[in-house]
Amino acid sequence: MFWKFDLHTTSHIDQLLDREDVTLRELMEEDDVLQECKAQNRRLLLFLSQDHCMQELVSLITTEPPADLEERSRFKFPNIACELLTSDVSLINDKLGGDESLLEMLYHFLEQDPPLNPLLASFFSKTIGNLIARKTEQVITFLKKKEGFIGLVLKHIDASAMMDLLLRLISCVEPAPLRQDVLHWLNEEKLVQRLTELIHTGRDEERQSNASQTLCDIIRLSRDQANQMQENVEADPLLAVLESQESVAGLLKNMFEGEKSEASIVNGTQVFIITTEATLSGQMIQWLMDLYSQGYERSYTVNSSILNAIEPHLKDFQQLLLDPPKKSAILTTVGVLEQPLGNARLHMARLVAALLQTSAPSICQELCNLATMDLLLDLFFKYSWNNFLHFQVELCVAAVLNHPSSEERPSPGLQNHDGKPTLFQKCRLVQRILDAWEENDKIQAEGGTRRGNMGHLTRIANMVVQNLEKGPVQAQITDLIKELPEDCRGRWESFVDETLRETNRRNTVELVSTHNMHSSSEDDDMESPFPNDLSLQQAFSDYQIQQMTANFVDQFGFNDEEFSEHDENIKIRQFDDADEEEDIWEEKEINYATQAKSRTR
């Protein structure tokens, strides 16, 4: 009931402000100081905007607290100071953005020797980022006068907060002419070239990772910005440099010259994947392979200079699949893995999938000459529990099967020099499917566990069958099946008619029809929670970007059996009536630390 609550309480802050000797620290001790600040408490704002208070607030977020303080209270005041400075109150924004002495205090934080305190770095980045968005012209003018600004930011790029600061400069500047001016300034400072140089064997892994992520985000932000602009606008100079053949060649040189390291290979490959990735129209990533099987045509182009620079190095990427950086044996849930797949080979598979989706004739022909698909299928069956790898190989097979070929533009990965479809002849895809399936049946008959790649193998087998019935390469596949040895052809026909048909029947579990979920016509107007555009590689990226251990990609895997067995295994948990007894007004502790940890780039 309303009368249980005192809705007319007076803040203790007003009582404190009645005192002439009140200090900033006393006010910051009050639990509702930030709430009162955002509520535009005029007396509080006038007090906070005084010169000595603003200087103390800036000092708190840029100066290391005394080490002898209790750990839980060391950063209490710096945290509150950051929240006050970024509370988006015009009086504070005007004071901080318009006073050059305060900006100098902030800037001095960058002039420290690395490493920066990561928490203070986040406070600094958040404060500067807020000013870039709210007091854009003043702050940009100030930073452009500092000749060493970009160098200092890159000096501390091992702190992820510095990466955030760079992206603020790229994405938060308005209006468009000013944003373009900032982009030209960053290009004159050779931001892309300097980030590329950081992805090198001699650099520490954290700096390489953040440099790579910054380059990937620059590509995404630039493309998104270009897509959103209705009228013709000037090209993004950073993106132009990033996609230039010279820049791509420089990154490849850093990756492959001298002693190779997994960090430089993985981080460099991530940039190439982003530059070559395709955009697929759809609402849910699980529709991806279904769209492929329906002959979906993607409509995107990749800068030819990127492909021209990558093509001579395809053999180097191939060598990484054969001889990756050495990794120690690891213990997984299914036993000891003497030779883990490794992040480098996983990224090579991602890159091959992205390159095949471009359908660039010379790229596809070189991959065919190198027998890359044959090698990827070897890894697919060897690492039967690595579903990240399985998904990439499935994408590769789908790209090969679902692009029509012609004399001028051969189907990617299908044709070798004698015109034979290598995926079916040299890679022996049909025979591999049959052998793997029979081996799995034998393992299960002896009481063993169903292999983790069987779900993906089922989808690949269905793709072959669907293309036999209808598809861009229907005639070629049909001829190849006819050319199989008689015993193999018989096994395939029996497999399709019996085993695969029964597997598909068991996998088709319809819990509910989504078409009947909406009973109101108003719901039809609701906006879908899914984005209209999903990247072919984005599903994997969302997993990959999380903070994973080095061993995670080697031991991670789903047992497809969990998702594809009988209907009776599916149980629906009923709501517990006891839940209704919960007091919805009861105060509960909110764990912000847990939420902060869940933030991923």
Side-chain angles (χ1 to χ4, degrees), residues 433 437 456-465 492 495 500:
I433 293 173
W437 208 286
H456 290 277
L457 192 64
T458 302
R459 296 178 68 91
I460 290 174
N462 280 321
M463 276 192 282
V464 174
V465 173
W492 172 253
F495 169 76
L500 186 60

Side-chain angles (χ1 to χ4, degrees), residues 526-538:
M526 292 177 64
E527 199 172 304
S528 170
F530 298 101
N532 289 328
D533 292 313
L534 287 177
S535 162
L536 289 176
Q537 301 291 353
Q538 195 61 43

